[in-house]
Amino acid sequence: MARERKVTREKLYETTKTLLLQHGYNGFNFTLLAKQLNISRAALYKHFKNKEELVTDFMIFEMNKFLAAIRKIENYTNFDAQFDYLFATMFQHKEIHEILGMTYLIYSKSNKKVKANIEKLKNLHEDMYRYLQKFIKLGKKENRVAPHISDEALLGFIFQSFSIPNHFHIPPSEWYAQIKELVSHGMLTNMS
Amino acid sequence: MARERKVTREKLYETTKTLLLQHGYNGFNFTLLAKQLNISRAALYKHFKNKEELVTDFMIFEMNKFLAAIRKIENYTNFDAQFDYLFATMFQHKEIHEILGMTYLIYSKSNKKVKANIEKLKNLHEDMYRYLQKFIKLGKKENRVAPHISDEALLGFIFQSFSIPNHFHIPPSEWYAQIKELVSHGMLTNMS
DNA sequence: ATAAAAAGTGACACTTGTGTCACCTTTATG
DNA sequence: CATAAAGGTGACACAAGTGTCACTTTTTAT
């Protein structure tokens, strides 16, 4: 019964991601997105009540993709294998950290759906956190991870490292190896 | 000949910093700043032609403070002392990294002064970079820093580590020690 | 074939933020 | 002591983004 969409939801979310990263949360708006997609602004309102709803829907979409990948960490039994897998996965999903960092800018009172979405995001975040905490716990148990450092610092440290800007455009595989080395053993030689 | 300011430039910049961090670059505006300072919006236009000019002036102010501190690194001759000093200094100026990250959002065509300010910021940034690169070079020479990792990755890594959010409010001195340990030796034990 | 659902549109009224102006206030100095 | 420079203000016209509505187009199930 329905007419075909001019723009698929995937394409819409992809463009949303690009514009959010390019202009920041408050620089992003319906006018900009509609222009970029060559549709009218009013068309967007057929699918989302407002910007907050669109962005939180988008975030849930991204977070689900990310979590689906993270969950596969359970296919690996020892810490070293988990570390390799996790690092590669998070490198592929680099942008999600910056995207999720925008959550605090969302005006959540705007509507019921937005409130519910933010709640859902919180849950997904906690879900993710549980997997990662389990990973850290295993590392500490196997004596592979520095035991006296808090889980929060360790996880924040990993996440943050993917946001290091590669201004000089070092080739991805090389960049990847360097970041992994830094996260693993730090910047100082072991003669310290 | 001049009337006293209701608000000092320092207070103005301090409030600017708070609001920029709270609302992001595009969420920050003259209306918000004027309200927060209990002055009229028109008063702000007496001192700054527009938001871009205000923000870039503010950034130069912050960058100069930061650079003044960084320069003192030359009071220390060996790498370990420089590292300790640099780490402490950068920890005290945590926010500057996030602030400077907003530069790419500034619409630089808006006016001559803004263009000049951005140029100045670029120079200050390069200045800072030179000090830090010298620091890294010394570290590599003293065999204290991993030699095969690029200066860009090393410096990005240090900067980024100060942006790790301390959501669980671990006391600053403890947090500081953990981050320093992670940056120094990474998250894995040396048995790797 | 047609009715109903979903997708899309331009236009309108509204809100928020901008930049400027005429005008008032304070204060140091000739 | 008056005057000019700098600080401050409310008001106005303008620009950009929002949300809604009446209306059109496409599609498919009956």
Side-chain angles (χ1 to χ4, degrees), chain B residues 9 24 35 40-41 46 88 111 122 133 142 155 185:
Chain B
R9 191 154 287 237
K35 257 180 205 152
S40 71
R41 209 164 43 80
K46 285 281 148 101
N111 104 32
K122 223 181 94 190
Q133 208 154 21
E142 288 189 19
L155 292 176
H185 305 113

Side-chain angles (χ1 to χ4, degrees), chain B residues 111-123:
Chain B
N111 104 32
K112 273 270 171 212
K113 175 92 187 290
V114 172
K115 258 186 170 169
N117 273 354
I118 289 183
E119 194 56 36
K120 203 168 179 176
L121 267 173
K122 223 181 94 190
N123 290 334

Side-chain angles (χ1 to χ4, degrees), chain A:
Chain A
M1 280 162 168
R3 179 177 171 178
E4 198 190 357
R5 277 162 170 262
K6 263 179 92 173
V7 168
T8 65
R9 189 153 290 236
E10 281 67 29
K11 174 70 184 158
L12 188 150
Y13 283 157
E14 193 191 307
T15 307
T16 298
K17 186 199 250 176
T18 306
L19 292 179
L20 272 176
L21 291 173
Q22 217 162 85
H23 300 272
Y25 179 72
N26 280 302
F28 173 84
N29 58 50
F30 270 30
T31 306
L32 195 64
L33 180 60
K35 256 178 206 151
Q36 194 83 137
L37 292 171
N38 279 310
I39 58 173
S40 71
R41 208 165 44 80
L44 287 174
Y45 281 96
K46 286 281 148 96
H47 305 287
F48 308 94
K49 278 208 181 62
N50 51 40
K51 163 174 149 178
E52 286 74 37
E53 200 173 300
L54 182 151
V55 172
T56 51
D57 275 2
F58 157 72
M59 284 177 166
I60 289 172
F61 173 81
E62 286 292 307
M63 195 60 181
N64 276 326
K65 273 203 298 186
F66 183 58
L67 247 178
I70 290 288
R71 282 204 185 89
K72 298 204 182 110
I73 199 178
E74 305 221 308
N75 295 345
Y76 304 87
T77 47
N78 70 72
F79 177 80
D80 284 353
Q82 288 199 354
F83 182 73
D84 288 348
Y85 174 74
L86 191 68
F87 214 84
T89 303
M90 289 178 84
F91 195 78
Q92 279 176 331
H93 291 91
K94 267 174 185 299
E95 316 93 335
I96 197 145
H97 190 231
E98 196 175 342
I99 295 283
L100 289 177
M102 296 174 181
T103 314
Y104 83 103
L105 290 168
I106 301 170
Y107 183 64
S108 56
K109 275 95 193 160
S110 59
N111 104 32
K112 272 271 169 210
K113 174 93 186 290
V114 173
K115 257 187 169 168
N117 274 354
I118 290 183
E119 193 57 35
K120 203 168 180 175
L121 267 172
K122 222 181 94 189
N123 290 334
L124 287 170
H125 201 273
E126 283 168 8
D127 234 47
M128 179 197 73
Y129 209 81
R130 263 191 295 277
Y131 281 99
L132 298 179
Q133 206 152 23
K134 216 167 144 186
F135 158 76
I136 295 291
K137 262 204 171 55
L138 177 65
K140 286 183 176 173
K141 195 178 163 192
E142 288 190 19
N143 292 315
R144 301 289 294 116
V145 170
H148 51 290
I149 296 178
S150 65
D151 295 4
E152 297 78 47
L154 283 163
L155 291 176
F157 178 66
I158 299 174
F159 266 111
Q160 214 59 33
S161 73
F162 293 104
S163 303
I164 303 175
N166 185 356
H167 284 316
F168 292 78
H169 303 102
I170 294 174
S173 64
E174 204 177 314
W175 185 253
Y176 176 79
Q178 293 195 5
I179 301 304
K180 194 171 178 184
E181 174 59 23
L182 282 170
V183 170
S184 299
H185 305 114
M187 62 176 281
L188 302 185
T189 53
N190 11 4
M191 334 161 84
S192 52

Side-chain angles (χ1 to χ4, degrees), chain B residues 1-3 6 40 42-43 46-47:
Chain B
M1 280 163 168
R3 182 175 170 180
K6 264 181 90 172
S40 71
K46 285 281 148 101
H47 305 288

